Amino acid sequence: MPVLRSGVRRGRPAAKQKEEKQQLNPIQEGEAIATRTRRRRAAAAALAAGTKDNEQQPQQQVVINDNLVAPAGLDEACPVGTAGDVGVDCGAEEEEIGEKQMDDNDSGPNDKANVGEDEGSTAPVPEKVQVGGSPMYKIEKKLGKGGFGQVYVGRRMNAENTSERTGPGAVEVALKFEHRSSKGCNYGPPHEWQVYNTLGGSHGVPKVHYKGRQGDYYIMVMDMLGPSLWDVWNNNSHTMSTEMVACIAIEAISILEKMHSRGYVHGDVKPENFLLGSPGSPDEKRLFLVDLGLATRWRDNTTGLHVDYDQRPDVFRGTVRYASVHAHLGRTASRRDDLESLAYTLVFLLRGRLPWQGYQGENKGFFVCKKKMGTTPEALCCFCPQPFKLFVEHVVNLKFDEDPNYAKYISLFDGIVGPNPDIRPINTEGAQKLIGHKRSRMTMEEDDEQPKKKFRMGLPATQWISIYNARRPMKQRYHYNVSDTRLSQHIDKGNEDGLYISCVASCSNLWAIIMDAGTGFTDQVYELSPCFLHKEWIMEQWEKNYYISAIAGATNGSSLVVMSKGTTYVQQSYKVSDSFPFKWINKKWREGFYVTAMATSGIRWAVVMSRGAAFSDQVVELDFLYPSEGIHKRWDCGYRITATAATWDQAALVLSVPKRKPADETQETLRTTAFPSTHVKEKWAKNLYIASVCYGRTVS
């Protein structure tokens, strides 16, 4: 049965999206510019770089395992975070770029920006430290290093009370150094300072006793803590008892609840960032969460409301092994991400390994995220007690702004830990104080409650995605399962009837074409080419003032390109890439271009961007299955879907804010196994007409 998803446009003004894109490594490009001079430059650049410009790779029919689905663009992600397993390499991709010079009526760039960060300095730390009224400390051994600084042992000089182990007068402290030119100090003291000012000393977060700048370094003085959970696991032959991990779960959830109640998400939950208290001290069995360099606000400090949803596929923040799927996809961090990372942390400590470990190379982040999406809670927790599976199932299905049920999550592990809190391997007193009273109010019905809807998990499917817009009554015609030899017959007949092609798609090397009388075009040409895309033909048509208005690609590598006169475009550029080219899209956004057409051929993407498009803002929703939640978030902010494309593994939808608000903003989406011929007629009866269509990965 087809799955119908519909929504009505509310007409609210779109909020400006904040741009925090990390600078990425440049990739070698072969350019095809519609001027002789720029062609020569491009050829020289390609020759110097030793690249094979415009090389077309034959596509093979690939059988996809329906249990494994993949994200797009992660090989271009620039990670920010700690060392070790952090990061996604930015590898070069085989690509092709075509661009038509701008006509005389130029349009200025919009306000989308790219914000980069410096990598910092490796200058040696000072031998002695005294900041913010602190005692003088002598620097001793190095404890660790991450993406946001390095930590050393500091020993107090001329200490009168040598037995003091914690507090401002402790003999031995932890000193965290961050160089003034590092990525966390672009505008003064580190962002982490502000977070510690709010969270420091609260349940499970160590207190900063002193902080200040000395020379080129910003320095924090904190209590010395004990080993991390990674150290405990590693020193115990890579094993940890079920009761120990259950106690960690209970206390970690309570720590995150307290942090979230203050308006922050941690952003990098993993075993290395959970530390026990100092051995031999009263806190040796207490759990602490450290390294707040990636912490961000999930709640606006001024309004008290949840921050706005956004997706930036080129930005990854966190640690690849433990990051949530939403973090891999570049979505705005919220409370669900910390809990998903905690779930992976718990399973790792209990099983000793996660299914996505072992990937290497430039596409590591891509394959890790693909594996995470394809691993069900049952498979992930196949050797774990039932509470761990239930916890994973709950947290991976949380919506962006949903309130987590921390008390319920803690109650899942009650049956695993011992009844006497005093002899538990981890002190869970904090959890009992914070939310014990909430657990006592839970009813049996709540205990048995299952996730209401599986927002992320589902059966991967390959389906038609069709988009419908409300229009005044007009004539529209569709053809599908069209072979190459019959394509011209249908197009010529449509032209005779006053119809022009508005969108095209492909399935199983057969074409689908939509023709209607509402395009506004005055003339149109098309080419069926064995390559994806035929650059020389496109450039010839650009010279004749035709612009690309629709494209489609087949699995055999062929393409159908439609170019029209009568558009509003004044300049155009396209790119063919082996992964979704969000980095390039973001660059063109800043130059005043907008995505006006997309297509795929096998795993390859083609994206067309134009100046003069009738949009005032634009965003991308990218997912392994189907970004249903993101689409509804965008609809609520005034966006409409204006372009779609999908590969075997992933779907991308471009949503835009029109410069001129339509009289009827109704937009509906439909996902069907077969071409939606019956449903199209039903839509026509409601004056809803196909605006975009594609075939590829969705979820049933």
Side-chain angles (χ1 to χ4, degrees), residues 18 49 107 125 134 189 231 259 261 301 327 403 415 421 425 473 498 517 564 584 594 596 661 665 689 698:
K18 294 184 178 178
S107 61
V125 298
S134 74
D231 295 328
M259 182 177 291
S261 70
N301 199 31
D403 294 326
S564 308
W584 177 78
Y594 291 97
T596 51
K661 181 179 175 180
E665 294 188 295
Y689 297 89
T698 65

Side-chain angles (χ1 to χ4, degrees), residues 54 235 247 270 414 533 568:
N54 308 329
N235 293 334
C247 288
K270 58 183 178 180
D414 280 344
L533 305 169
T568 60

Side-chain angles (χ1 to χ4, degrees), residues 1 3 5 457-463 625 671 673 698-700:
M1 291 293 292
V3 180
R5 298 288 185 272
M457 297 299 176
L459 295 176
T462 306
Q463 296 176 316
L625 302 175
R671 306 197 303 272
T673 303
T698 65
V699 60
S700 61

Side-chain angles (χ1 to χ4, degrees), residues 358-417:
Y359 287 107
Q360 299 294 332
E362 63 183 28
N363 290 329
K364 173 182 176 180
F366 178 95
F367 290 112
V368 167
C369 199
K370 174 179 178 178
K371 185 68 173 177
K372 286 178 182 177
M373 281 300 300
T375 304
T376 64
E378 291 78 8
L380 180 63
C381 304
C382 59
F383 298 109
C384 304
Q386 181 75 356
F388 291 92
K389 182 189 80 71
L390 294 175
F391 179 61
V392 173
E393 194 170 77
H394 276 83
V395 300
V396 300
N397 289 302
L398 286 170
K399 291 187 288 185
F400 170 69
D401 53 3
E402 185 176 349
D403 294 326
N405 192 338
Y406 304 96
K408 180 175 180 59
Y409 304 151
I410 286 180
S411 71
L412 295 173
F413 301 96
D414 280 344
I416 300 179
V417 299

Side-chain angles (χ1 to χ4, degrees), residues 443-457:
T443 65
M444 291 302 294
E445 288 77 11
E446 289 175 325
D447 286 339
D448 296 333
E449 180 187 0
Q450 296 298 316
K452 295 178 182 178
K453 183 177 181 182
K454 294 192 173 184
F455 286 88
R456 192 179 95 185
M457 297 299 176

Side-chain angles (χ1 to χ4, degrees), residues 269-313:
V269 172
K270 58 183 178 180
E272 295 89 330
N273 284 341
F274 281 109
L275 274 59
L276 296 175
S278 180
S281 73
D283 292 335
E284 66 175 342
K285 292 171 62 177
R286 284 190 61 193
L287 197 63
F288 295 88
L289 182 57
V290 301
D291 197 354
L292 305 182
L294 289 177
T296 56
R297 284 195 172 273
W298 69 265
R299 185 173 61 206
D300 187 276
N301 199 31
T302 303
T303 64
L305 302 176
H306 202 290
V307 297
D308 292 334
Y309 170 89
D310 195 12
Q311 184 181 15
R312 296 291 310 279

